[in-house]
Amino acid sequence: MTLAPTHRHGQAVWSDTQLLYALEEVVETELNRHLKVAKEWMPHEYVPWSDGRNFDGVMGGEAWAPDQSKVSDVGRIALVVNLLTEDNLPSYHHEIATLFGRDGAWGTWVHRWTAEEGRHGIVMRDYLLTSRAVDPVELERFRMAHMSEGFESDNQHSMLHTVAYVAFQELATRISHRNTGHHSGDPVCDRMLARIATDENLHMIFYRNLLGKAFELAPDQTMGAVRDVVVNFRMPGHGMPGFERAAAQIAIGGIYNLRIHHDDVLQPVLRFLKVLEIGGLGPEGLKAQEELGLYMGGLDDQATKFDERREALLARRRARAERS
């Protein structure tokens, strides 16, 4: 097998296998950097165990009620969405292990990433149940329904599309966790989600740097992948029960919406990599770059309209609250 790309119309064309081999050294470098800066932490240290007590059922404890929760209404909704997303880790591991492989630096990264992500589900569930933040019966039923459906990535057809997707998705997850903590109303929850968000940021940096190297090797193909991912971006939890309604409430609550997606997720990665300024592209790369720029401009306009509608809705709610 040759590691050199083929050429079409003067532009290099890489297969997934060729890119995997070509990026192996970068993966090793980024993995070593990650291991140096990532700090060990213990999920149990972020859980208020002394608040815990038995639920009803076989232990004969107290049934859950909404007034037992210390977190805000929108905080409860976002916490359930965030945890259900983390619950699908086995499917995510299968997807990236299939694409990236289980050997060498790629395999080491896949397993390390999975182990770190596993902490997030552990600490979130322990916190939610111990603090009685959410209905445990509803949470378990949602988990069963969501995991029983499985997960298929929109980008499983392409290793390059997958790298582009996770560069944005890890940042989106970090922002979602961080904002959920800020809006939760519980300092314990805020501290826990801040710890998780720190991990997600390091994961984003790994994939963002890898994406930057891919632009050097295969600029046209990488530009096309980034355009496709940005235009068709969906969070991995989109298939969970009641996701559309929950996403709308989360958007209005200021945890994750079009403005946040544009300003705090897409723009930082695009800006850091100077994606819209890259030169030397072939016809396909130039077309993808132009389409990406047009899409970002349109998304900014949509976000502005959303902001206006959101503010009008919140103003009406405040007025009703004052009258009552």
Side-chain angles (χ1 to χ4, degrees), residues 123-141:
V123 71
M124 288 179 68
R125 175 166 280 101
D126 285 347
Y127 164 79
L128 293 180
L129 296 182
T130 301
S131 67
R132 292 181 172 246
V134 302
D135 182 347
V137 174
E138 182 181 72
L139 180 66
E140 177 60 11
R141 287 172 177 166

Side-chain angles (χ1 to χ4, degrees), residues 155 157-158 160-162 164-165 168 211 214-215 218-232 275 278 281-292:
N155 304 289
H157 64 288
S158 163
L160 200 50
H161 281 70
T162 299
Y165 175 75
F168 294 105
L211 186 62
F215 266 115
D220 279 21
Q221 286 174 259
T222 307
M223 187 66 72
V226 169
R227 173 207 53 203
D228 294 345
V229 164
V230 168
V231 170
N232 300 297
V275 173
I278 291 174
L281 298 168
E284 292 181 8
L286 284 171
K287 181 173 182 289
Q289 188 180 49
E290 180 181 357
E291 291 174 347
L292 178 60

Side-chain angles (χ1 to χ4, degrees), residues 145-167:
H146 185 40
M147 292 193 70
S148 295
E149 287 294 317
F151 172 81
E152 285 191 8
S153 168
D154 295 332
N155 304 289
Q156 62 181 312
H157 64 288
S158 163
M159 164 268 192
L160 200 50
H161 281 70
T162 299
V163 170
Y165 175 75
V166 290

Side-chain angles (χ1 to χ4, degrees), residues 77 108 160 206 238 257 269 279:
I77 294 166
T108 303
L160 200 50
F206 178 95
H238 61 81
N257 53 42
V269 176

Side-chain angles (χ1 to χ4, degrees), residues 12 27 53 68 72 77 83 148 158-159 210 233 286 316:
V27 171
R53 58 191 187 277
Q68 297 168 1
S72 62
I77 294 166
L83 178 54
S148 295
S158 163
M159 164 268 192
L210 194 58
F233 186 88
L286 284 171
R316 290 195 298 271

Side-chain angles (χ1 to χ4, degrees), residues 25-26 53 57 60-61 66 80 86 89 91 94 101 116 124 131 152 190 198 201-202 215 224 242 247 249 284 295 298:
E25 187 175 337
V26 183
R53 58 191 187 277
V80 170
E86 299 286 356
L89 181 60
S91 290
H94 173 76
E116 291 185 2
M124 288 179 68
S131 67
E152 285 191 8
D190 192 23
T198 299
N201 195 60
L202 292 179
F215 266 115
Q249 293 170 305
E284 292 181 8
Y295 177 81

